[in-house]
Amino acid sequence: MTTIAAESKDRVAELAEVFHLMGDPSRLGILMLVLDEARAVGEIAAATGHSLSLVSHHLRLLRARRLVRAERRGKQVFYALDDAHVRSVLRDMAAHLREERR
Amino acid sequence: MTTIAAESKDRVAELAEVFHLMGDPSRLGILMLVLDEARAVGEIAAATGHSLSLVSHHLRLLRARRLVRAERRGKQVFYALDDAHVRSVLRDMAAHLREERR
DNA sequence: ATAACAATTAAACAGTTGTTCAATCGTAAA
DNA sequence: TTTACGATTGAACAACTGTTTAATTGTTAT
């Protein structure tokens, strides 16, 4: 069988981990912010209204699953989305919600 | 601004709710099972190895967010995926994981 | 009506998770 | 070396979540 329904257990578990990361409002907000351009942690904190610490904690989780990539420039660390599929999924889902409202 | 990054807070929250539902391994396994064809709760329980009760609990949550649709046929209740975007997202992500392994 | 089957529901528990606060680290300027 | 700024880290706590167990509802057959 090659159907998606026959996807093996641990692959489903990995998939679930990615969705789980996207399933928190704070984290999803962060992902949305770095969707198109890299942003410093401080910018993200300011834009989302969250503490630097909280943002950093979340970024660490996102980094661990390689949803996001970090690059240091001087004192600041810039984060950008580092997963093409996640990017397209986020765009797709956002569009979905927009349409649903009509 | 019409960028996705400027998505309003409560829409992000709604998006997060959907991802959160997909972010649990048991629930994601259920969604995968009903991705292509409707299945009875008992079938789902047997196929996933979970109790009837657990499956029913999860289905209730999925139903509440309209990711899944229920239809009664005699004693059994059949569930099917009821969201085109979720379906494409699941296919997309599953494909993504498959490619990543190469 | 009763029995059997399928599914739902409620309560309760253990484990996980998001957040805060305080301390620490890394880098650049004085 | 200091000082200041930006970011990370760890500990601790409250809130939430997934799962189990047991009781209950709905449906079909006897």
Side-chain angles (χ1 to χ4, degrees):
Chain A
M1 261 206 254
T2 56
T3 69
I4 287 176
E7 202 71 16
S8 73
K9 277 222 171 183
D10 46 336
R11 286 201 181 168
V12 169
E14 285 191 49
L15 236 192
E17 278 190 57
V18 175
F19 285 132
H20 177 255
L21 285 174
M22 298 194 262
D24 175 73
S26 308
R27 239 150 26 211
L28 188 56
I30 293 174
L31 287 174
M32 292 296 203
L33 272 176
V34 301
L35 185 63
D36 295 315
E37 37 180 346
R39 289 186 193 273
V41 181
E43 294 182 60
I44 299 172
T48 58
H50 296 129
S51 74
L52 218 45
S53 173
L54 179 58
V55 172
S56 187
H57 275 299
H58 283 312
L59 285 172
R60 188 170 61 82
L61 296 175
L62 295 171
R63 202 167 3 111
R65 266 287 147 188
R66 300 187 190 286
L67 296 196
V68 122
R69 151 182 40 95
E71 180 193 351
R72 169 152 247 157
R73 299 182 204 162
K75 294 182 195 173
Q76 306 179 62
V77 178
F78 286 77
Y79 282 85
L81 203 63
D82 189 33
D83 187 306
H85 272 82
V86 169
R87 179 176 287 112
S88 78
V89 163
L90 288 178
R91 288 206 172 110
D92 205 35
M93 274 297 209
H96 178 210
L97 281 187
R98 256 185 251 109
E99 286 164 22
E100 234 178 18
R101 302 238 151 263
R102 307 260 157 92
Chain B
M1 259 210 254
T2 56
T3 68
I4 288 176
E7 203 72 17
S8 73
K9 277 222 172 184
D10 46 338
R11 286 202 182 170
V12 169
E14 285 190 48
L15 235 192
E17 278 190 58
V18 175
F19 285 133
H20 177 255
L21 286 174
M22 298 194 262
D24 174 73
S26 307
R27 239 147 30 209
L28 187 56
I30 292 173
L31 288 174
M32 292 296 202
L33 272 178
V34 302
L35 185 63
D36 296 314
E37 38 180 345
R39 290 186 192 274
V41 182
E43 294 182 59
I44 298 173
T48 58
H50 297 129
S51 74
L52 218 44
S53 172
L54 179 58
V55 171
S56 187
H57 274 299
H58 284 312
L59 285 171
R60 187 171 60 85
L61 296 174
L62 295 171
R63 201 168 3 115
R65 268 286 146 187
R66 300 188 189 283
L67 297 196
V68 121
R69 151 181 41 93
E71 181 194 350
R72 169 150 243 151
R73 299 183 203 161
K75 294 183 196 172
Q76 308 180 61
V77 178
F78 286 78
Y79 282 84
L81 203 62
D82 190 32
D83 186 305
H85 272 83
V86 168
R87 179 176 287 114
S88 79
V89 163
L90 288 179
R91 289 206 173 111
D92 205 37
M93 274 298 207
H96 178 213
L97 281 187
R98 256 185 251 113
E99 285 164 23
E100 236 179 17
R101 303 241 150 261
R102 306 263 155 93

